[in-house]
Amino acid sequence: MTEIEKARELFVSCRLKEAKPLLEELAGAGDSDALYMLAMMTYDVDIAIELLAKSAAKGNAGAKLMRLALMADASEETIAEAEKSIIPEIEKGAEEDPVLADALGTFYLVYGKKREGWTEKGMALLSMAEQKEYWKASIHLGSAFNELRENPLGDADRFNPGEAIIHFSFAAVKGAPEAEYFMGFLVYRGLGTKQDQKAAIQLWKKAAASGYMTAALTLGFVLSFSKNEKEKKDGFKYTKMAAESGDPTAEGNLANCYYYGTGTRKDRRLARLYYKKAAEKGMESSAMQLGVMYHEDGKDDKAFEIFRKSAENGYPASMGWLAACYENGYGTERNREMAKFWLTRAADLGDEDAKKALSIISGNG
């Protein structure tokens, strides 16, 4: 058995911790199949697309289709080209190879509305791959019946949480952390199964322990609202775990923990540090909080610039703070018209606080 055959056997059977070092070594040497399998193990969609692009550039047909599926925005011209030159190549091997069947089935489902019969073909191919014990096909089938938010495989007419949880459970039993995470959400909310928040938390803990940082982020958020102090401390622990992986939402949440003293002691220095990290990655809520901290520290020049930049990026709460700066002279000259301008913009975006403030300074409150 060759190294790539060994790695593939481990990968398909969901022995991912064993497969990963082998695949990384083979991918480093330029093996297109190894690049593809690493992409399927990666939880960051952007990184997965990048790995698939490298695999596709080396002629991997499955990678070409899966990349288009993950991007979910292929033009008609691109779809037609895939239909002509990539799909026929994959169809030859899909009946025997569950990885190819999953790639083709996922592509068909994502673009099912573009061609008659593609949705049915996609479901059949994914079912065939699942019957051959391929864990990723189970996740894709579960996603096909799951909610639509950030899920290109979902369809409102097909939404069936009971069916979704069946497929996620097939992959979760094999130890796939992504499936444990999705299954946890359904169990937590009681969709398709009896609601059991404790069981959901245990599923997320298993997924987080396997490196699925979205589960750690979710755990941190859920547990931070617990009335139990030990659970709050656990929430802080998982938030910190996700933040240390570089997730900007987790960094902002960790900053909140330090700022408010949730699950840990208050620490303004660390709160400022993590608000800054998250803000630099585009988290406007963290940028606003960073501005608030500078305002609280009497550094209104810095606060004003942060609020201005965040407001210009379209964040309504920062627009409200920028209006407050103009109204009260924080870090800039007083300017009632500019205060009204930014409150109006925020109000137009639905910000209720801005609507109230606008009414007051306009003399209607």
Side-chain angles (χ1 to χ4, degrees):
M1 182 181 288
T2 65
E3 288 294 289
I4 189 62
E5 287 172 341
K6 181 180 178 182
R8 179 188 168 85
E9 184 179 275
L10 292 170
F11 168 77
V12 172
S13 62
C14 204
R15 294 157 64 186
L16 304 182
K17 287 184 179 178
E18 295 174 72
K20 189 174 182 181
L22 272 174
L23 290 172
E24 287 176 336
E25 182 179 346
L26 291 164
D31 187 285
S32 69
D33 287 338
L35 285 164
Y36 180 91
M37 286 182 272
L38 277 180
M40 293 299 94
M41 290 170 57
T42 299
Y43 309 130
D44 186 309
V45 174
D46 292 332
I47 294 174
I49 288 171
E50 183 180 336
L51 288 168
L52 289 170
K54 291 179 180 178
S55 178
K58 294 179 179 294
N60 190 302
K64 293 175 184 177
L65 282 193
M66 188 60 80
R67 179 173 173 269
L68 293 176
L70 291 186
M71 293 173 70
D73 63 354
S75 65
E76 173 57 34
E77 182 180 358
T78 300
I79 293 170
E81 179 59 30
E83 195 174 15
K84 177 183 176 183
S85 61
I86 304 173
I87 289 175
E89 180 181 349
I90 291 183
E91 282 180 329
K92 295 175 186 176
E95 286 192 19
E96 299 298 324
D97 185 342
V99 177
L100 282 180
D102 175 68
L104 182 55
T106 302
F107 175 83
Y108 277 150
L109 268 189
V110 171
Y111 296 103
K113 289 183 167 42
K114 300 289 185 179
R115 298 289 190 277
E116 186 177 349
W118 272 16
T119 296
E120 293 75 15
K121 285 184 178 180
M123 295 297 286
L125 284 162
L126 290 177
S127 295
M128 182 172 65
E130 182 180 61
Q131 287 167 12
K132 293 184 179 180
E133 303 292 323
Y134 182 35
W135 58 277
K136 196 70 177 185
S138 294
I139 291 174
H140 287 152
L141 272 172
S143 298
F145 292 105
N146 207 12
E147 294 177 291
L148 296 178
R149 189 170 65 89
E150 298 179 6
N151 175 20
L153 285 169
D155 186 296
D157 294 333
R158 192 167 53 236
F159 176 58
N160 185 332
E163 192 71 21
I165 207 165
I166 289 171
H167 296 292
F168 287 141
S169 67
F170 288 158
V173 165
K174 292 182 175 68
E178 189 179 0
E180 292 166 342
Y181 170 72
F182 288 130
M183 188 173 170
F185 253 111
L186 294 171
V187 172
Y188 189 85
R189 297 172 61 191
L191 295 175
T193 187
K194 181 181 177 182
Q195 186 176 35
D196 188 336
Q197 295 184 348
K198 288 184 179 179
I201 286 170
Q202 289 307 310
L203 283 165
W204 289 333
K205 284 183 176 180
K206 284 183 66 179
S210 297
Y212 195 73
M213 288 300 102
T214 306
L217 172 65
T218 301
L219 271 171
F221 182 79
V222 168
L223 294 176
S224 69
F225 287 97
S226 172
K227 294 178 181 179
N228 182 296
E229 284 304 314
K230 184 184 180 303
E231 289 187 347
K232 282 183 181 288
K233 288 180 180 179
D234 283 346
F236 168 75
K237 179 184 77 173
Y238 283 107
T239 299
K240 192 169 187 286
M241 180 192 295
E244 288 175 347
S245 75
D247 183 280
T249 302
E251 288 171 341
N253 289 352
L254 183 61
N256 287 338
C257 289
Y258 284 123
Y259 183 80
Y260 294 106
T262 305
T264 188
R265 61 182 174 81
K266 290 184 179 182
D267 190 320
R268 289 182 67 82
R269 182 186 67 82
L270 288 173
R272 188 180 296 109
L273 171 67
Y274 281 99
Y275 281 139
K276 189 170 186 291
K277 283 176 177 282
E280 287 172 348
K281 295 175 183 175
M283 292 295 295
E284 297 301 337
S285 58
S286 292
M288 183 203 72
Q289 282 296 120
L290 183 61
V292 170
M293 289 194 73
Y294 279 126
H295 170 63
E296 291 172 341
D297 293 339
K299 298 177 180 178
D300 283 333
D301 288 350
K302 285 187 175 182
F304 173 78
E305 287 304 318
I306 289 170
F307 292 140
R308 181 185 59 77
K309 183 177 179 182
S310 182
E312 289 174 352
N313 286 339
Y315 191 62
S318 292
M319 294 176 189
W321 270 102
L322 183 59
C325 290
Y326 281 119
E327 177 68 11
N328 298 292
Y330 300 148
T332 188
E333 292 182 3
R334 290 177 181 265
N335 189 325
R336 174 61 63 86
E337 290 307 309
M338 287 300 291
K340 287 182 178 180
F341 171 80
W342 284 107
L343 284 174
T344 299
R345 284 194 60 179
D348 287 345
L349 291 170
D351 190 286
E352 294 299 324
D353 290 336
K355 292 177 184 178
K356 293 175 186 175
L358 184 61
S359 179
I360 290 170
I361 70 169
S362 299
N364 300 320

